[in-house]
Amino acid sequence: MHIRWKHVAIALAILPFAAVFAVWTGLFNVGAASGHWKITDWFLHFAMQSSVRTYALPVEVPEPLPREGLAAAAGHFETGCAVCHSSPDVPRDAWARQMLPEPPALSDVLASDKWTDAELFRIVKHGVRFTGMPAWPTQDRDDEIWAMVAFLREMPDLDAKAYRDLAYGPSSANAVAPAVNDLETLVADCARCHGEDGMGRGDAVPVLAGQQRTYLEESLVAYAANRRESGVMTQAALDADADLFADLAAYYADLPRADMETRTAPGAELVERGRAIAMEGLPDDDIPSCDSCHARLDRNPAYPAIDGQKHHYLQTQLELFAEEKRGGTSLAETMHEFSRHLKPEDIEALAAYYSTLEPQ
Ligand code: HEC
Ligand code: HEC
Ligand code: HEC
């Protein structure tokens, strides 16, 4: 008995060296062309499904799934996901079919009830190791990921035309190749989400028309450098030629501000409370008057105009500031100084108030 244990111990000690030696010989095939053995394939997908199921347990699913960002999510799917997963409009790229494992055509997967909403959230946020399925470009924007989950739920019901209408809107542009360097093509690409009039498609996409030029340009720089967190806009900014950021900013700053589509007006009491904070701040909570900057745009060309901005967008940005998840231009510090003191009810009131104002 004594001797047998000794043998086992020696064998265990040698095992790692034997394994490294076997790999060092190079006979282990890492090529993707010949595929996995069936058992490896089964095992890997089993491991992935089990992991996703377990890590999705604590995820809280918003009820109902948010729909404000549906158009932007579809637009992002077109440039960020369809190459690997197909869309109702185009099949996935040929090279994607040679990946190991091969990314599935998602409409087929989603038509079944293989994944719950929480599991889809987990996959899209964190990606899948060893497979080529990427994580969301930032871990700070759960709202964008929920918008993507809402879109994924919708996708199996969309035919090619309905999908294009959602991902492109009335814009006739096609998804552009990365680093495009002519303004006209780029503006057509931005129009997929921001609309040809710069008013934004859906309540999650901000109005750019008439916004301050310097603020727009510096925001594009911030997205491209990942100093402002958004998976959707970081991709759009990186796909554009940075030499054209100044021209893009000037283009949108000069667009006339169109009338906003009619929306339900927030309650008068909420708006009144928002107005009071905007004008006087909340000195007890160290919150300054918002208007001291946002109503005095002449003081600094990098202060954004927020009068008449989209309600849902304002609310999201203030929540991100309060949670210390929103970077931005070199002046973002001025917002960071006090934003963590903002309470949910302050944010609600301020977003309501500013969304009802006439644009400056
Ligand atoms: C570079 C290719 C690639 C891109 C881009 C990509 N994926 Fe994937 N994705 C994969 C691969 C490969 C798998 C399979 C993982 C596995 O089977 O373990 C996968 C799996 C998934 C799954 C689980 C499907 C299943 O049943 O296996 C979902 C959902 C998904 N991706 C959504 C997305 C979304 C949404 C995007 C865009 C934000 C995206 N993917 C971008 C490669 C990609
Ligand atoms: C796939 C959809 C999509 C595309 C394409 C897109 N955007 Fe955006 N854009 C968004 C969303 C969503 C936001 C809000 C992001 C956030 O929460 O930070 C945004 C925000 C912005 C902002 C910040 C505005 C503010 O008030 O802070 C600028 C500037 C901007 N986009 C410019 C552009 C330009 C220029 C292009 C074309 C090169 C473009 N976008 C393409 C969806 C898109
Ligand atoms: C000292 C000046 C200053 C004060 C005071 C101030 N802000 Fe700001 N605010 C800024 C600057 C500068 C930015 C641009 C941040 C960036 O992205 O770099 C900004 C950004 C914002 C944005 C995002 C705009 C967009 O298009 O994404 C909102 C919303 C906002 N502020 C609301 C408020 C509210 C509400 C208050 C009052 C509670 C307030 N601000 C007080 C300077 C100020």
Side-chain angles (χ1 to χ4, degrees):
M1 194 66 182
H2 187 70
I3 292 175
R4 260 211 233 131
W5 278 118
K6 209 163 142 191
H7 285 169
V8 171
I10 291 171
L12 280 180
I14 291 175
L15 201 64
F17 296 99
V20 171
F21 178 76
V23 172
W24 174 81
T25 63
L27 292 175
F28 174 66
N29 182 5
V30 298
S34 54
H36 287 312
W37 292 336
K38 271 221 159 60
I39 175 93
T40 318
D41 226 0
W42 171 84
F43 180 76
L44 290 176
H45 203 66
F46 170 69
M48 178 265 206
Q49 275 184 281
S50 308
S51 162
V52 168
R53 192 184 54 225
T54 301
Y55 279 96
L57 287 178
V59 172
E60 272 175 50
V61 181
E63 207 36 86
L65 290 177
R67 302 185 61 80
E68 292 87 354
L70 219 51
H76 183 68
F77 186 89
E78 175 72 358
T79 41
C81 319
V83 279
C84 285
H85 286 298
S86 303
S87 74
D89 188 32
V90 278
R92 68 208 119 151
D93 281 16
W95 58 259
R97 309 204 63 154
Q98 300 307 319
M99 285 175 66
L100 188 65
E102 181 184 331
L106 276 185
S107 289
D108 302 344
V109 173
L110 294 165
S112 72
D113 51 9
K114 180 175 176 189
W115 304 110
T116 64
D117 292 343
E119 289 166 350
L120 282 178
F121 175 86
R122 169 76 201 179
I123 296 173
V124 175
K125 181 169 180 179
H126 294 271
V128 183
R129 224 174 257 197
F130 306 129
T131 68
M133 167 63 201
W136 198 257
T138 161
Q139 294 295 297
D140 283 339
R141 293 297 303 265
D142 287 0
D143 62 308
E144 290 188 333
I145 297 164
W146 283 119
M148 180 58 83
V149 173
F151 164 72
L152 292 177
R153 284 296 177 219
E154 204 97 325
M155 193 167 60
D157 297 330
L158 302 177
D159 61 15
K161 179 172 182 312
Y163 170 77
R164 277 194 72 84
D165 286 352
L166 192 56
Y168 287 88
S171 153
S172 57
N174 276 310
V176 294
V180 175
N181 56 10
D182 98 74
L183 188 64
E184 209 177 314
T185 318
L186 261 185
V187 165
D189 191 53
C190 313
R192 295 192 292 124
C193 293
H194 289 285
E196 272 157 13
D197 55 3
M199 293 298 290
R201 297 184 52 230
D203 219 20
V205 182
V207 176
L208 301 184
Q211 182 55 280
Q212 301 243 86
R213 195 189 61 71
T214 305
Y215 172 72
L216 289 174
E217 181 180 352
E218 290 197 12
S219 296
L220 286 170
V221 173
Y223 283 125
N226 237 329
R227 271 189 284 112
R228 180 168 168 189
E229 301 77 1
S230 163
V232 174
M233 258 321 287
T234 295
Q235 163 121 19
L238 287 175
D239 281 352
D241 181 341
D243 290 344
L244 289 177
F245 285 176
D247 294 344
L248 282 166
Y251 175 85
Y252 282 108
D254 287 347
L255 275 188
R257 196 40 215 251
D259 274 342
M260 196 83 99
E261 309 147 24
T262 41
R263 270 173 283 117
T264 44
E269 212 175 302
L270 198 61
V271 173
E272 203 37 56
R273 189 176 140 70
R275 185 202 315 277
I277 306 175
M279 292 171 84
E280 274 129 51
L282 293 167
D284 290 348
D285 293 343
D286 292 329
I287 292 169
S289 144
C290 317
D291 277 353
S292 62
C293 295
H294 289 289
R296 295 290 317 276
L297 300 182
D298 51 322
R299 282 177 56 191
N300 196 316
Y303 288 170
I306 58 174
D307 293 8
Q309 184 55 280
K310 305 257 177 94
H311 189 167
H312 178 82
Y313 173 77
L314 289 173
Q315 169 105 15
T316 308
Q317 299 303 310
L318 289 172
E319 283 165 3
L320 290 169
F321 274 123
E323 291 164 16
E324 305 187 318
K325 289 179 176 170
R326 188 196 189 280
T329 70
S330 51
L331 287 181
E333 219 26 64
T334 54
M335 285 293 293
H336 295 158
E337 268 167 29
F338 64 84
S339 295
R340 65 184 173 284
H341 303 305
L342 285 170
K343 294 196 216 48
E345 56 273 25
D346 304 334
I347 290 179
E348 213 183 319
L350 285 161
Y353 168 66
Y354 277 107
S355 71
T356 59
L357 293 186
E358 282 295 314
Q360 288 181 42

